[in-house]
PDB file of all heavy atoms in Angstrom:
ATOM      1  N   GLY A  18      85.757 118.716  90.939  1.00 98.00           N
ATOM      2  CA  GLY A  18      85.898 117.270  90.714  1.00 98.00           C
ATOM      3  C   GLY A  18      84.590 116.686  90.198  1.00 98.00           C
ATOM      4  O   GLY A  18      84.187 115.587  90.585  1.00 98.00           O
ATOM      5  N   THR A  20      83.570 115.394  87.385  1.00 98.00           N
ATOM      6  CA  THR A  20      83.487 114.240  86.485  1.00 98.00           C
ATOM      7  C   THR A  20      83.887 112.923  87.154  1.00 98.00           C
ATOM      8  O   THR A  20      83.931 111.884  86.511  1.00 98.00           O
ATOM      9  CB  THR A  20      84.368 114.458  85.227  1.00 98.00           C
ATOM     10  OG1 THR A  20      85.713 114.713  85.681  1.00 98.00           O
ATOM     11  CG2 THR A  20      83.880 115.627  84.397  1.00 98.00           C
ATOM     12  N   GLY A  21      84.199 112.982  88.447  1.00 98.00           N
ATOM     13  CA  GLY A  21      84.597 111.761  89.160  1.00 98.00           C
ATOM     14  C   GLY A  21      83.391 111.064  89.779  1.00 98.00           C
ATOM     15  O   GLY A  21      82.237 111.443  89.547  1.00 98.00           O
ATOM     16  N   SER A  22      83.687 110.050  90.576  1.00 97.00           N
ATOM     17  CA  SER A  22      82.629 109.234  91.185  1.00 97.00           C
ATOM     18  C   SER A  22      81.717 110.093  92.075  1.00 97.00           C
ATOM     19  O   SER A  22      80.491 110.085  91.919  1.00 97.00           O
ATOM     20  CB  SER A  22      83.308 108.103  91.972  1.00 97.00           C
ATOM     21  OG  SER A  22      82.438 107.526  92.874  1.00 97.00           O
ATOM     22  N   ILE A  23      82.285 110.858  92.993  1.00 98.00           N
ATOM     23  CA  ILE A  23      81.463 111.694  93.887  1.00 98.00           C
ATOM     24  C   ILE A  23      80.824 112.837  93.103  1.00 98.00           C
ATOM     25  O   ILE A  23      79.648 113.157  93.304  1.00 98.00           O
ATOM     26  CB  ILE A  23      82.333 112.262  95.045  1.00 98.00           C
ATOM     27  CG1 ILE A  23      82.806 111.134  95.968  1.00 98.00           C
ATOM     28  CG2 ILE A  23      81.576 113.340  95.833  1.00 98.00           C
ATOM     29  CD1 ILE A  23      81.728 110.481  96.798  1.00 98.00           C
ATOM     30  N   ALA A  53      86.911 120.363  86.810  1.00 98.00           N
ATOM     31  CA  ALA A  53      87.264 118.951  86.592  1.00 98.00           C
ATOM     32  C   ALA A  53      88.664 118.855  86.021  1.00 98.00           C
ATOM     33  O   ALA A  53      89.244 119.853  85.566  1.00 98.00           O
ATOM     34  CB  ALA A  53      86.254 118.303  85.654  1.00 98.00           C
ATOM     35  N   GLY A  54      89.198 117.644  86.029  1.00 98.00           N
ATOM     36  CA  GLY A  54      90.508 117.388  85.440  1.00 98.00           C
ATOM     37  C   GLY A  54      90.401 117.262  83.926  1.00 98.00           C
ATOM     38  O   GLY A  54      89.333 117.483  83.350  1.00 98.00           O
ATOM     39  N   ALA A 122      84.988 117.328  95.640  1.00 98.00           N
ATOM     40  CA  ALA A 122      85.021 115.965  95.089  1.00 98.00           C
ATOM     41  C   ALA A 122      86.294 115.699  94.292  1.00 98.00           C
ATOM     42  O   ALA A 122      86.344 114.746  93.519  1.00 98.00           O
ATOM     43  CB  ALA A 122      83.785 115.736  94.229  1.00 98.00           C
ATOM     44  N   ALA A 145      83.995 115.752 100.655  1.00 98.00           N
ATOM     45  CA  ALA A 145      84.309 114.369 100.279  1.00 98.00           C
ATOM     46  C   ALA A 145      85.821 114.175 100.334  1.00 98.00           C
ATOM     47  O   ALA A 145      86.312 113.113 100.714  1.00 98.00           O
ATOM     48  CB  ALA A 145      83.793 114.075  98.875  1.00 98.00           C
ATOM     49  N   ASN A 146      86.545 115.217  99.973  1.00 98.00           N
ATOM     50  CA  ASN A 146      88.006 115.148  99.842  1.00 98.00           C
ATOM     51  C   ASN A 146      88.687 114.992 101.215  1.00 98.00           C
ATOM     52  O   ASN A 146      89.096 115.964 101.853  1.00 98.00           O
ATOM     53  CB  ASN A 146      88.484 116.428  99.125  1.00 98.00           C
ATOM     54  CG  ASN A 146      89.988 116.517  99.005  1.00 98.00           C
ATOM     55  OD1 ASN A 146      90.618 117.345  99.653  1.00 98.00           O
ATOM     56  ND2 ASN A 146      90.575 115.657  98.209  1.00 98.00           N
ATOM     57  N   LYS A 147      88.798 113.729 101.659  1.00 98.00           N
ATOM     58  CA  LYS A 147      89.319 113.478 103.004  1.00 98.00           C
ATOM     59  C   LYS A 147      90.777 113.891 103.152  1.00 98.00           C
ATOM     60  O   LYS A 147      91.234 114.230 104.239  1.00 98.00           O
ATOM     61  CB  LYS A 147      89.152 112.008 103.377  1.00 98.00           C
ATOM     62  CG  LYS A 147      89.974 111.030 102.567  1.00 98.00           C
ATOM     63  CD  LYS A 147      89.576 109.594 102.856  1.00 98.00           C
ATOM     64  CE  LYS A 147      88.320 109.224 102.124  1.00 98.00           C
ATOM     65  NZ  LYS A 147      87.759 107.931 102.450  1.00 98.00           N
ATOM     66  N   GLU A 148      91.528 113.869 102.011  1.00 98.00           N
ATOM     67  CA  GLU A 148      92.954 114.186 102.094  1.00 98.00           C
ATOM     68  C   GLU A 148      93.202 115.589 102.638  1.00 98.00           C
ATOM     69  O   GLU A 148      94.225 115.845 103.270  1.00 98.00           O
ATOM     70  CB  GLU A 148      93.619 114.016 100.722  1.00 98.00           C
ATOM     71  CG  GLU A 148      93.643 112.559 100.207  1.00 98.00           C
ATOM     72  CD  GLU A 148      92.426 112.190  99.364  1.00 98.00           C
ATOM     73  OE1 GLU A 148      91.427 112.956  99.382  1.00 98.00           O
ATOM     74  OE2 GLU A 148      92.455 111.136  98.690  1.00 98.00           O
ATOM     75  N   ASP A 172      82.070 111.714 103.286  1.00 98.00           N
ATOM     76  CA  ASP A 172      82.576 110.355 103.512  1.00 98.00           C
ATOM     77  C   ASP A 172      81.502 109.621 104.329  1.00 98.00           C
ATOM     78  O   ASP A 172      81.030 110.144 105.355  1.00 98.00           O
ATOM     79  CB  ASP A 172      83.892 110.452 104.308  1.00 98.00           C
ATOM     80  CG  ASP A 172      84.854 109.358 103.918  1.00 98.00           C
ATOM     81  OD1 ASP A 172      84.441 108.416 103.227  1.00 98.00           O
ATOM     82  OD2 ASP A 172      86.046 109.452 104.308  1.00 98.00           O
ATOM     83  N   MET A 230      84.085 103.261  93.287  1.00 94.00           N
ATOM     84  CA  MET A 230      84.691 104.564  93.604  1.00 94.00           C
ATOM     85  C   MET A 230      85.845 104.832  92.639  1.00 94.00           C
ATOM     86  O   MET A 230      86.202 103.988  91.828  1.00 94.00           O
ATOM     87  CB  MET A 230      85.251 104.545  95.042  1.00 94.00           C
ATOM     88  CG  MET A 230      84.290 104.025  96.079  1.00 94.00           C
ATOM     89  SD  MET A 230      84.995 103.964  97.742  1.00 94.00           S
ATOM     90  CE  MET A 230      86.014 102.505  97.669  1.00 94.00           C
ATOM     91  N   GLY A 231      86.450 106.014  92.749  1.00 95.00           N
ATOM     92  CA  GLY A 231      87.630 106.347  91.960  1.00 95.00           C
ATOM     93  C   GLY A 231      88.787 105.396  92.277  1.00 95.00           C
ATOM     94  O   GLY A 231      88.771 104.712  93.312  1.00 95.00           O
ATOM     95  N   MET A 292      76.693 106.368  97.865  1.00 98.00           N
ATOM     96  CA  MET A 292      77.182 107.668  98.321  1.00 98.00           C
ATOM     97  C   MET A 292      76.165 108.791  98.143  1.00 98.00           C
ATOM     98  O   MET A 292      76.343 109.878  98.677  1.00 98.00           O
ATOM     99  CB  MET A 292      78.477 108.028  97.596  1.00 98.00           C
ATOM    100  CG  MET A 292      79.665 107.191  97.990  1.00 98.00           C
ATOM    101  SD  MET A 292      79.959 107.160  99.783  1.00 98.00           S
ATOM    102  CE  MET A 292      80.484 108.844 100.074  1.00 98.00           C
TER     103      MET A 292
HETATM  104  P1  NAD B 501      87.652 110.301  91.194  1.00 64.90           P
HETATM  105  O1  NAD B 501      89.050 109.957  90.824  1.00 64.90           O
HETATM  106  O2  NAD B 501      86.539 109.472  90.665  1.00 64.90           O
HETATM  107  O3  NAD B 501      87.357 111.823  90.776  1.00 64.90           O
HETATM  108  C1  NAD B 501      88.267 112.885  90.971  1.00 64.90           C
HETATM  109  C2  NAD B 501      87.784 114.130  90.268  1.00 64.90           C
HETATM  110  O4  NAD B 501      88.784 115.164  90.400  1.00 64.90           O
HETATM  111  C3  NAD B 501      87.562 113.967  88.751  1.00 64.90           C
HETATM  112  O5  NAD B 501      86.440 114.736  88.360  1.00 64.90           O
HETATM  113  C4  NAD B 501      88.805 114.598  88.146  1.00 64.90           C
HETATM  114  O6  NAD B 501      88.617 115.075  86.829  1.00 64.90           O
HETATM  115  C5  NAD B 501      89.007 115.743  89.127  1.00 64.90           C
HETATM  116  N1  NAD B 501      90.318 116.375  88.982  1.00 64.90           N
HETATM  117  C6  NAD B 501      91.528 115.801  88.781  1.00 64.90           C
HETATM  118  N2  NAD B 501      92.463 116.754  88.615  1.00 64.90           N
HETATM  119  C7  NAD B 501      91.829 117.945  88.714  1.00 64.90           C
HETATM  120  C8  NAD B 501      92.240 119.295  88.637  1.00 64.90           C
HETATM  121  N3  NAD B 501      93.512 119.624  88.439  1.00 64.90           N
HETATM  122  N4  NAD B 501      91.314 120.272  88.805  1.00 64.90           N
HETATM  123  C9  NAD B 501      90.014 119.957  89.023  1.00 64.90           C
HETATM  124  N5  NAD B 501      89.568 118.696  89.117  1.00 64.90           N
HETATM  125  C10 NAD B 501      90.461 117.712  88.959  1.00 64.90           C
HETATM  126  O7  NAD B 501      87.601 110.347  92.794  1.00 64.90           O
HETATM  127  P2  NAD B 501      86.366 110.015  93.771  1.00 64.90           P
HETATM  128  O8  NAD B 501      86.313 108.568  94.015  1.00 64.90           O
HETATM  129  O9  NAD B 501      85.154 110.736  93.307  1.00 64.90           O
HETATM  130  O10 NAD B 501      86.888 110.673  95.117  1.00 64.90           O
HETATM  131  C11 NAD B 501      86.896 112.067  95.328  1.00 64.90           C
HETATM  132  C12 NAD B 501      87.199 112.344  96.805  1.00 64.90           C
HETATM  133  O11 NAD B 501      86.124 111.839  97.585  1.00 64.90           O
HETATM  134  C13 NAD B 501      88.459 111.639  97.301  1.00 64.90           C
HETATM  135  O12 NAD B 501      89.108 112.455  98.227  1.00 64.90           O
HETATM  136  C14 NAD B 501      87.923 110.385  97.990  1.00 64.90           C
HETATM  137  O13 NAD B 501      88.752 109.939  99.048  1.00 64.90           O
HETATM  138  C15 NAD B 501      86.604 110.906  98.540  1.00 64.90           C
HETATM  139  N6  NAD B 501      85.591 109.871  98.742  1.00 64.90           N
HETATM  140  C16 NAD B 501      85.131 109.189  97.667  1.00 64.90           C
HETATM  141  C17 NAD B 501      84.174 108.184  97.829  1.00 64.90           C
HETATM  142  C18 NAD B 501      83.592 107.459  96.650  1.00 64.90           C
HETATM  143  O14 NAD B 501      82.647 106.690  96.825  1.00 64.90           O
HETATM  144  N7  NAD B 501      84.075 107.653  95.460  1.00 64.90           N
HETATM  145  C19 NAD B 501      83.723 107.873  99.121  1.00 64.90           C
HETATM  146  C20 NAD B 501      84.226 108.595 100.209  1.00 64.90           C
HETATM  147  C21 NAD B 501      85.157 109.598  99.997  1.00 64.90           C
END
Side-chain angles (χ1 to χ4, degrees):
T20 57
S22 163
I23 293 291
N146 176 250
K147 66 189 79 187
E148 294 91 346
D172 214 348
M230 311 178 283
M292 290 307 291

